[in-house]
Amino acid sequence: MTVRVLVADDQEIVRTGLAMILNAHPDIRVIGEAANGHQAVELARRLRPDVCLLDIRMPGVDGIQATRELAGPGVTDPIAVVVITTFDLDEHVYAALRAGARGFLLKEAGSELLGQAVRAAAAGDALIAPAVTARLLRAFARAGQGGVLRQPPDGLTEREEEVLMAVAAGRTNSEIAADLYIGLSTVKSHVASLMAKLKARNRVEIAMWAYETGRR
């Protein structure tokens, strides 16, 4: 299956470069480009890409607001968003993920990691630049903010605890399946169960819950 992507960045040369990198992957196709967040939201709602790749710093409507409008709480039919930026700042990562982003990458990320992030977002997973993952989740835990359930829920099974820890460690569904010697469909079922029990919107919030409750 081809993953259809919309790219938004206020610099044309960056948009062109990202499009070239993504289109070089046989299973990814860029279907639209936007120069700011307002254009990105309009194009995304019209084209319905599988994933939007948004820069944070754009004139007018920035990437955070665009993410909130496309994937935030209350959006009836959200579109997967991956945020990409030059700036490795905790407040940017925090704001992007709170707005509903399924991934966060630095522009220095290579072609392979960029492709992985887009595929993960399209599949409902989340991929955050390895350089910021642990620091980010600890920051979430210290902040203690947001809508993620803080008290341990009833009925978390031993296997769900194992999947919870793996998600918090940044493992993908395929990696979890290999680590735990279970099927991919079983992993997806456990992740869905965790999201329901923890009232989490995505894998990032599952990981946040693990840190906030001292699991990590």
Side-chain angles (χ1 to χ4, degrees), residues 103-143:
F104 184 97
L105 289 179
L106 302 178
K107 288 183 179 178
E108 64 190 32
S111 172
E112 187 59 33
L113 189 59
L114 185 59
Q116 288 178 17
V118 166
R119 293 186 194 97
D125 290 344
L127 191 153
I128 306 171
V132 301
T133 302
R135 188 185 76 237
L136 164 70
L137 291 173
R138 292 190 181 97
F140 271 117
R142 288 195 302 271

